Amino acid sequence: MPVPVYERILDLLGAEGINTLFGIPDPGFIHMAMTAQKRGWNVIAPHHEQAGGFMADAWSRLTGKPAVCFGTQGPGVANLAAAMICAAKENAPTIFFGGQRSRAAYQRARRGRIQYVDQVANVRPIMKYVGIIEQADQCDEIIREALRQVTAGRPGPAYVELPLSVIQESFDWPPIVPPEKYRLVHQAAGAVAVAQALDLIRRAKNPVLLVGQGAFTSRCQSAVGELARVMACPILQTSGGGMVIEGMEDRTFAYGFSPAGRAAAEASDLCVALGTELGEPVHMGIGRHWAKNDAHRKWIYVERDAMAIGVNRPIDVPLVGDLRDIVSQLVAPLRDFPRSPSAEFDQWIALQKEFKAGLRAAVPSGGTPVHPARFIVEATKDLPVDTVLAVDGGAITIFGWTYSQYVPRELVWNQNAGHLGTGLPYAIGAAIATERKKPVVLITGDSSFMFHIAELETAVRKNLPIVCVVACDYAWGLEVGVWRKQVGHDSPETEAHWSHSVRFDKIANGFGASGEYIQQEQDIAPAIQRALASGKPTVIHVPIDPVANAMEAPNYEEFKSWYTDFNAGYGRDAY
């Protein structure tokens, strides 16, 4: 029986376990959205397509599946542009569907075509794959190629264009087949390389695991935790992988932002890196905290993209493939030959506890407005263990790296691109991905919160358990610090501030969400508990000390060291 193209697309996506669509249904997509809803899928319409793209990214991170987002021809696809760029930078396996004029209109030489843009030419440079379904019978080929591209090698986005003249055409399709029939679903490393890696691990005296975001977005964090256990070693978090694997809390240290993390990196004679690009935030595995012992340290790199091997630093044993397969290749043989922890291992654990206790004791208290370090402590100290944490902002995020009292097992933030405004959309995508069964708490600055504040209505409409805790300095706080450090305290700080009359709690009420205005530090945690107990979207507005926020960001030099532009040279010379 013939089936329309839009329905066939849903069948193909469903074979991959995808059951969620993000996008604003317009004349080109209303039938797809309606059919998906009838099937019991989640269909989420944001108020801006860009926000929909960010929601899709977060949904993918927490499900381990490719995400789907769509936008109408012309302005809808234009609004998706920033989300597309971020998806490419964040290695997000998102398929973006774009509507388009019929093929007849597409090919006309006449000028003044309404709502027409050459979308393919604009998006091609940032996509792993671009396809146009020009005939109904191309649907399977192009959708499967998009799925193949976003999941193969290093993940990334694809764009599929759906002309109005095609999307509702019908065709007599062959039976749906499972993913393993048309794409690679497993990719183990070669036996020789695995044997070499196992030999290095067994001979190492001070091994470390450097774990990035990919270990979590691939949903294999428990296997990575088992690898850390059998290796009897610490886990170093990258800034993008700031989550903690259950049961591994005591041995997990932030690379660069904790003395235990720095000490473990410096003393290591073997680093097994997985789920990370070995980029600037970890000094490419060469500079700063790696430099001291670099000549005596071996590297094992688990990476899906063979072209990434040896680019940022030499690698002794590359394990090319999917870390979901490779980690098990390492764990199974190591179980039979358990290692003992190094002499320094317990010292690092003790150092981490001492460091955290010292931080808590030194946090300023009693000020009004609230000091940003105290804001972070109070906002994170009593969160439920299953809370999904979303973060957004500039200075307040840097404070969060150091002072957060919560060790999240799930964290969503835009680390690679550094794109402000992702926080609320990420929180919404995470709440949808967890089927509203886990609380989601967003810790954000006020400037970033305003980017997509309209999505509060989306959270209310979908009845999502999201609590937004907004640190308000009524300014671009990180930029104010830059003004004062580079120009001077008497700098004009042009357009860096805005009105103190902004009240996010009242704005939240206008969207149908709950809102609270909190001025005292001791009232922050109870307000969050009330919001969590309600299960309703809530915004908590907390004024913070603007001077401290701009000038006292902790570990700022560590953050600045990510940018090799500030130093001459490459590799260790740049740090």
Side-chain angles (χ1 to χ4, degrees):
M1 177 180 176
V3 171
V5 167
Y6 64 82
E7 190 167 342
R8 180 63 172 184
I9 291 174
L10 295 178
D11 293 338
L12 294 166
L13 297 175
E16 294 274 352
I18 299 167
N19 64 356
T20 302
L21 299 178
F22 296 93
I24 300 174
D26 78 308
F29 290 99
I30 55 173
H31 291 89
M32 180 185 289
M34 177 179 63
T35 304
Q37 187 176 48
K38 287 180 178 178
R39 294 184 178 190
W41 286 33
N42 295 307
V43 181
I44 297 90
H47 289 275
H48 194 293
E49 288 88 350
Q50 181 185 122
F54 295 145
M55 294 173 194
D57 183 359
W59 183 90
S60 175
R61 295 184 193 207
L62 270 75
T63 63
K65 302 171 184 175
V68 177
C69 183
F70 60 81
T72 190
Q73 62 199 39
V77 174
N79 283 344
L80 282 172
M84 290 177 171
I85 293 170
C86 285
K89 187 60 180 172
E90 295 290 320
N91 303 315
T94 304
I95 297 176
F96 292 94
F97 287 110
Q100 186 53 287
R101 297 283 298 274
S102 67
R103 301 308 294 162
Y106 195 105
Q107 298 297 334
R108 289 191 184 279
R110 295 172 182 173
R111 301 185 181 189
R113 287 168 287 175
I114 189 71
Q115 209 166 326
Y116 167 76
V117 177
D118 187 348
Q119 296 161 174
V120 168
N122 282 283
V123 306
R124 190 183 295 279
I126 53 177
M127 293 289 118
K128 283 192 71 179
Y129 170 73
V130 172
I132 306 172
I133 301 178
E134 296 182 310
Q135 303 292 334
D137 62 359
Q138 295 175 311
C139 179
D140 285 20
E141 177 183 353
I142 289 175
I143 298 300
R144 284 175 179 155
E145 181 63 16
L147 289 162
R148 188 179 297 118
Q149 290 279 349
V150 302
T151 57
R154 179 165 294 174
Y159 173 76
V160 176
E161 193 155 278
L162 301 170
L164 288 170
S165 56
V166 175
I167 192 168
Q168 295 196 50
E169 286 186 12
S170 293
F171 189 76
D172 193 3
W173 310 97
I176 291 289
V177 297
E180 60 268 21
K181 296 295 184 180
Y182 57 83
R183 68 175 181 87
L184 189 66
V185 296
H186 293 286
Q187 187 181 6
V192 173
V194 170
Q196 292 172 338
L198 290 169
D199 180 60
L200 285 183
I201 292 171
R202 288 170 179 144
R203 289 193 287 112
K205 295 181 179 179
N206 262 322
V208 295
L209 274 180
L210 181 65
V211 177
Q213 177 178 281
F216 295 86
T217 57
S218 62
R219 314 312 298 165
C220 71
Q221 53 265 56
S222 61
V224 174
E226 178 64 8
L227 178 60
R229 189 188 68 78
V230 297
M231 285 180 59
C233 73
I235 295 173
L236 301 185
Q237 298 169 312
T238 68
S239 56
M243 294 149 277
V244 175
I245 299 167
E246 185 175 0
M248 297 288 116
E249 291 84 359
D250 287 349
R251 70 173 71 201
T252 301
F253 316 131
Y255 168 82
F257 289 94
S258 73
R262 295 191 292 269
E266 291 173 3
S268 64
D269 60 351
L270 170 68
C271 180
V272 180
L274 46 83
T276 172
E277 293 181 305
L278 287 180
E280 289 181 317
V282 293
H283 306 107
M284 300 184 186
I286 294 179
R288 206 161 173 90
H289 312 303
W290 304 108
K292 183 178 179 181
N293 198 33
D294 186 54
H296 306 289
R297 184 183 299 110
K298 301 295 184 181
W299 283 80
I300 299 170
Y301 190 20
V302 181
E303 171 58 50
R304 297 174 72 174
D305 181 6
M307 294 301 293
I309 303 298
V311 175
N312 285 9
R313 67 150 296 117
I315 300 298
D316 297 283
V317 179
L319 296 176
V320 178
D322 192 323
L323 66 86
R324 288 169 289 196
D325 300 303
I326 294 173
V327 169
S328 62
Q329 288 180 285
L330 298 176
V331 168
L334 289 172
R335 281 200 188 103
D336 299 329
F337 300 94
R339 291 175 45 86
S340 297
S342 68
E344 294 89 347
F345 189 42
D346 287 340
Q347 297 173 17
W348 294 330
I349 292 175
L351 179 62
Q352 178 77 352
K353 291 179 179 178
E354 181 183 343
F355 168 64
K356 288 292 187 180
L359 284 175
R360 285 192 296 271
V363 172
S365 184
T368 304
V370 179
H371 192 282
R374 175 57 60 183
F375 165 83
I376 292 294
V377 169
E378 297 300 320
T380 59
K381 68 180 185 181
D382 292 326
L383 298 181
V385 69
D386 62 342
T387 299
V388 179
L389 185 63
V391 296
D392 196 7
I396 202 63
T397 298
I398 298 176
F399 275 97
W401 293 338
T402 298
Y403 293 104
S404 178
Q405 303 301 295
Y406 179 61
V407 285
R409 295 175 185 170
E410 303 287 2
L411 168 69
V412 284
W413 79 292
N414 193 265
Q415 188 262 323
N416 288 334
H419 197 292
L420 294 184
T422 57
L424 182 53
Y426 273 4
I428 290 171
I432 296 294
T434 56
E435 300 178 341
R436 304 169 180 81
K437 294 177 181 177
K438 294 183 178 181
V440 180
V441 174
L442 167 64
I443 307 293
T444 181
D446 50 359
S447 54
S448 51
F449 190 59
M450 283 198 273
F451 273 71
H452 290 297
I453 196 169
E455 303 308 333
L456 282 173
E457 189 283 326
T458 307
V460 171
R461 173 169 23 102
K462 294 298 180 180
N463 193 29
L464 302 177
I466 297 173
V467 180
C468 306
V469 193
V470 188
C472 301
D473 65 343
Y474 309 97
W476 297 99
L478 200 60
E479 284 66 32
V480 170
V482 172
W483 270 107
R484 295 177 184 179
K485 292 170 185 175
Q486 294 190 8
V487 182
H489 284 268
D490 59 348
S491 67
E493 297 175 15
T494 306
E495 284 297 288
H497 302 267
W498 51 77
S499 171
H500 282 59
S501 63
V502 174
R503 287 285 297 270
F504 293 113
D505 56 318
K506 294 184 176 180
I507 294 172
N509 293 153
F511 281 116
S514 299
E516 289 201 44
Y517 184 79
I518 302 296
Q519 292 181 287
Q520 302 300 318
E521 62 190 49
Q522 67 270 19
D523 297 330
I524 296 173
I528 294 173
Q529 292 304 310
R530 288 192 295 273
L532 290 170
S534 76
K536 298 179 180 179
T538 303
V539 175
I540 299 171
H541 179 127
V542 184
I544 62 170
D545 183 340
V547 175
N549 195 55
M551 302 301 295
E552 298 177 19
N555 291 304
Y556 184 77
E557 287 304 312
E558 182 72 19
F559 169 63
K560 186 178 176 181
S561 74
W562 293 0
Y563 298 87
T564 53
D565 315 57
F566 294 124
N567 302 289
Y570 174 80
R572 65 174 62 84
D573 297 332
Y575 298 99

